[in-house]
Amino acid sequence: MSAHYILRKLVQAILTIVAIVALNFVLFRMMPGSPERATKNPHLTPEFIAAERAKWGLDKPLFPDQLVAFAISTAQGDLGYSIKYRGQPVVEVVADAAGPTVLLIGIGEAIAIVVGLWLGARSGWRRGGVMDRIGNSLSLIFYSMPYFVIGMPLIIIFAAGLGWFPTSGMTTPGGDKGPAEALFDLGRHLVLPVTAVALGLIGAYSILMRSSIVETRSEDYITTARAKGLPDALVLRSHAFPNALLPMVTLIAINLGYVVAGAITAEIVFNWPGLGLLTVQALDARDYPLLQAIFLLIAVSVVFANFAADIVYGYLDPRVRA
Amino acid sequence: MSLQPIAGTTDLGVGRWTTTGRRARTFVGRLLGRTDGLVGVVILAFFTVIALFPSVFVGPLEGVLSATGQPLDSPSLAYPFGTDELGRDLLNLTVHGARISMVIGLLATIITVVIGSTVGIVAGYVGGVVDNVLMRITDFFLVLPTIVLALILAPIILDVIGAQAELFGIRSTLLVIVIVIGLTSWATTARVIRSQVLSVKERMFVDRARVIGSGGGQIMRRHILPNVVNLIVAQSVLTFATAVFTETTLAFIGLGDPAAPSWGQILNNAQSAGAPGLGAWWYIVPPAAAVVLVVLAFTLLGNALDDVLNPKMLGRR
Amino acid sequence: MTGVREPGAVSATRGRRQVPLPRLADPAAPLLVVEDLAVRFSLPSGSVKAVDGVSFRLDDGEALGIAGESGCGKTTTALSLVRLLPANGRIRSGSVKLFGIDLVPKTEKQLARYRWREISIVFQGAMNALNPVRRVGDQIAEPIEVRLGRSRDASRKRAAELLDLVGIPGQRASAYPHELSGGMRQRAMIAMALACDPAIVIGDEPTTALDVMVQAQILQLLERLRRELGLSLILITHDLSVIAETCDRVMVMYAGKVAEEGPVTRVFTAPRHPYTQKLLSSFPNIHADRRTLDVIPGQPPDLRNPPPGCRFAARCPFVMDVCREVVPPEVTFGDGVRVACHLYPGRDAAGPPPRVVGATRTCDAASSTDPAP
Ligand SMILES: Nc1ncnc2c1ncn2[C@@H]1O[C@H](COP(=O)(O)OP(=O)(O)OP(=O)(O)O)[C@@H](O)[C@H]1O
Ligand code: SF4
Ligand SMILES: [Mg+2]
């Protein structure tokens, strides 16, 4: 992979982030009563507010002074103070909630990528076969279900009904647990939310992978591979799959924004103490600084994920390395 | 949420379950001759009828005051779908939810398709700097977690225009959802349309038309649009699926209008009432099944349309 | 190159084989005999009779050219030999006998034994025929390793030798397809086709999409390899001059059927079928414009609904009433040329009347196709 390619993608990512910060600034201005409202936090002292006003240049013109001040404070990780969380810096509030969400989405994505790509490749390769019909129908159904719609029946059946798993939360409160016990407890709480996220994603990924494989299957080099008399499984594994995977890398990354939004709903259903639950709380309290910080964090993560996908793509496809 | 409209990139292949031997020549015949097309149309017809005349089937929408049942009653003869925590008939709510969900879906689809097609056609046809700029913006919206953005935008807009305001007879809460969905999903459409426009442009007759001296706008309307209209139709149907899906999500998160409960709003109520933990499955299954059926139907139909309207040679090397 | 084959060619070329013949092979049988092959593609709008009753034969060390305008079934014929048809294609009838072994009834697994080890293919446009994400050398080594069971190192070494043989420096083995020029890719494709030392190499328009200089180089390479390795070649091309220079025999196809087949010297100097005549006269000078095949007025028929009778009837200047109703039988002449046209009643004129469409098979391949060796 050439340095030039990486550099170009990096510049793109940075420009996107700059645009996101600018967008965030505009939102910040659009808020009713803004910007005063952001400083009319009942939990802050008047002296503190005066200092904040000076820092954000609220008495100076909107552009460029206020935008620059906003960008600088954003870059320094100063995103203001939460209303709901009694004047705590929003960065701290968000940081606390990020871990559980990363855990949920990370495991869900990992499972979905492995299972979804495998399932999609298998069904696309034998299009019209038994596996394809069953797998594709199931995928379509899961693909049509928001994560919370998958999650609710899971709770009714496996938590409320059978009692195999807890209905909500990330840990069982109270009691001193050893590390092993705590991990087991966390695992038990994770099963259902991760299943909800993973099932929804498997539906989407297997459908996309299936169509990618179907498209790849009619490429000339697949005919060449078959002409070579290679076993069918080898044609799939070493010719069709690596090529069909290429568009998937980009699709999975672009999809991440949707996954996060979906995970928010899963967190609500399972009362999972992550960004999703925090978002809903912030929404109810109209805690705009908090909402903005959540948006900024998620947006920047998604941009980074896309950058990473570009790098992976470059690694997988020799044609873009040049 | 993991749903994006995917016409042109996806071949769901379910269309291959056709009854072999049947060879309907007409468009409708070809569409209904496919399992996915037929299933999609049947489900949609069902929900459309319900959405058009909900009161004919279940009477007027039950409110808090007009509720007649006991709270959280499981299905019975009087209440075949059971009741919610306020004693409202869930059959009544679900049927009325069809109208609300589908109207929002329709409006959002119109916005999405108009913006997406315009951007796609202009970018693809004009090319050059315009294309570059438009595609950068499109890419930005593709990458941006727009639904999260919507979560900030929606309350801001509501605060600004007031939650009770009405525009064209639509309450502002619902309108905000419509706008937010429109803004979040046009980018995919724009990309798909653009690439089709590029290939149409390659073809001769556009050049000929240009030589004869018609202006760019005229060429786009007279020559490009007719050639991408099939794709736009298929894309619209798929967008509708996304719109219903997104509406459900946003309403579930809490941006819905409790006075006009869509399926997502009913599910939000169910969640607030603790229905999953109480095992009140009847509160969840009807609206959830309705959402899944409608999204599924539109996805199936959209792909069937894409196949029928934009035939690609089968299995050609 | 053209002209008579020396007797004993069979044993000479088969003796050169480095890998054993298939177990079931009949040593006395001809290399390849295709009889009455019919291939259909099913489409929602109907079934395409892309190849309909094609018969031909290829002997050891021989080069057969297949010509005909676009869509007449050349590629389909070639691909159906080892059943590489697209998913909607099926062989409906006929036989493909390699060393006397019929490949048509073989299962996919059994057939794999014959692919590449006996019949390999150089596809048109090597950019698409080579896997873009794998190194060229690995793609050449792959069949050696998988099909011949050599070690990875030995296969790599052999791949480098093959690249050398086709005029690519061995160290380019680590290049990806996009890093090679069009001509180099086509050479690499040829090296790949030679990997398992096959009995037959099929070239499906191996030089289309290359510039004229490179075309000439690739054709020279194929000639050289054919001489040195004793290859048997099937060469599909639009370019009649290529066939004239490279092949021993030529088969002219029209709309899924054989119009005329025979030794290049005879067919090109005295074409009998009106389509062959048109084809050749649309080629005023063999060395001038190379791409004038489509100047015959009219279109080939829709193969979903081919006309009864002769498929060329709508465009033929000599068309007679009988042509529109009766499929012309194939007639073999003394000089080894086989023609399907009512202008040449031939032996059949004295025999029973030609069969009418709707009868099971239209041309009586068994009795009249075998070109006298
Ligand atoms: N997968 C397919 N489905 C339907 N019809 C097909 C398919 N593949 C080929 N055909 C049809 O079969 C006929 C023969 O095609 P084929 O590719 O063998 O022609 P060809 O002689 O090789 O043409 P060309 O010179 O363009 O390569 C054509 O009419 C073509 O349209
Ligand atoms: S059979 Fe008749 S139509 Fe066909 S080529 Fe001969 S003369 Fe022409
Ligand atoms: Mg061909």
Side-chain angles (χ1 to χ4, degrees), chain A residues 127 136 210 255 258 262 288, chain B residues 1 4 9 11-12 16 159:
Chain A
R127 180 157 118 166
N136 198 36
R210 178 181 181 280
N255 213 35
Y258 287 81
Y288 290 116
Chain B
M1 182 157 38
Q4 300 176 29
T9 62
D11 146 61
L12 296 168
R16 302 196 52 131
D159 278 351

Side-chain angles (χ1 to χ4, degrees), chain B residues 22-89:
Chain B
R22 183 171 348 168
R23 234 177 266 152
R25 297 252 175 256
T26 61
F27 161 71
V28 176
R30 295 235 307 282
L31 192 65
L32 298 183
R34 306 162 48 107
T35 311
D36 53 356
L38 186 65
V39 170
V41 167
V42 168
I43 298 178
L44 283 189
F46 175 75
F47 279 99
T48 307
V49 170
I50 286 181
L52 285 176
F53 315 106
S55 304
V56 172
F57 297 100
V58 293
L61 176 64
E62 281 187 17
V64 182
L65 297 177
S66 58
T68 51
Q70 294 299 307
L72 278 186
D73 236 357
S74 54
S76 61
L77 272 181
Y79 299 101
F81 282 18
T83 61
D84 72 358
E85 78 280 12
L86 299 172
R88 288 180 294 184
D89 179 8

Side-chain angles (χ1 to χ4, degrees), chain B residues 76-311:
Chain B
S76 61
L77 272 181
Y79 299 101
F81 282 18
T83 61
D84 72 358
E85 78 280 12
L86 299 172
R88 288 180 294 184
D89 179 8
L90 273 165
L91 176 62
N92 177 290
L93 290 182
T94 308
V95 168
H96 281 277
R99 165 173 248 164
I100 296 153
S101 289
M102 288 176 76
V103 166
I104 295 178
L106 186 66
L107 293 176
T109 302
I110 293 171
I111 295 188
T112 303
V113 170
V114 168
I115 301 182
S117 310
T118 311
V119 171
I121 291 177
V122 170
Y125 179 73
V126 178
V129 182
V130 175
D131 181 27
N132 250 321
V133 170
L134 286 177
M135 280 305 111
R136 279 287 86 78
I137 298 174
T138 308
D139 283 348
F140 179 68
F141 272 88
L142 268 184
V143 169
L144 201 69
T146 34
I147 294 175
V148 184
L149 177 63
L151 295 181
I152 316 180
L153 267 180
I156 292 179
I157 299 175
L158 281 184
D159 278 351
V160 173
I161 62 176
Q164 299 309 317
E166 281 194 6
L167 212 70
F168 312 120
I170 304 164
R171 288 163 57 89
S172 59
T173 21
L174 297 186
L175 207 64
V176 166
I177 290 206
V178 167
I179 293 170
V180 155
I181 298 174
L183 286 179
T184 51
S185 42
W186 61 270
T188 324
T189 309
R191 275 242 165 248
V192 174
I193 303 284
R194 173 180 171 268
S195 58
Q196 175 89 352
V197 170
L198 285 181
S199 75
V200 170
K201 208 170 79 168
E202 292 288 299
R203 289 187 228 147
M204 262 286 288
F205 60 90
V206 175
D207 287 340
R208 238 189 295 135
R210 187 162 36 205
V211 174
I212 291 168
S214 28
Q218 200 179 353
I219 296 177
M220 278 189 261
R221 250 178 294 115
R222 296 265 287 276
H223 300 275
I224 304 273
L225 190 60
N227 279 289
V228 293
V229 84
N230 284 348
L231 190 60
I232 293 180
V233 169
Q235 190 67 26
S236 307
V237 174
L238 289 173
T239 303
F240 198 119
T242 321
V244 171
F245 192 103
T246 310
E247 191 280 330
T248 307
T249 303
L250 293 178
F252 180 76
I253 293 177
L255 296 183
D257 184 348
S262 66
W263 292 322
Q265 180 66 41
I266 302 176
L267 289 166
N268 171 288
N269 297 346
Q271 176 68 26
S272 315
L278 295 172
W281 55 269
W282 63 89
Y283 201 161
I284 292 160
V285 172
V291 170
V292 175
L293 281 176
V294 167
V295 174
L296 189 66
F298 275 102
T299 309
L300 290 175
L301 185 64
N303 283 287
L305 276 173
D306 189 41
D307 269 7
V308 172
L309 293 175
N310 310 298

Side-chain angles (χ1 to χ4, degrees), chain C residues 124-145:
Chain C
Q124 173 184 351
M127 184 69 230
N128 300 328
L130 290 169
N131 187 336
V133 306
R134 301 197 48 202
R135 294 174 196 280
V136 168
D138 292 350
Q139 295 189 54
I140 299 173
E142 186 180 35
I144 305 174
E145 190 181 336

Side-chain angles (χ1 to χ4, degrees), chain C residues 99-118:
Chain C
F99 303 121
I101 310 165
D102 190 358
L103 301 184
V104 173
K106 296 261 182 242
T107 64
E108 191 73 2
K109 256 214 175 81
Q110 293 168 331
L111 198 66
R113 159 70 181 80
Y114 299 91
R115 291 184 176 154
W116 223 252
R117 282 184 64 170
E118 303 304 338

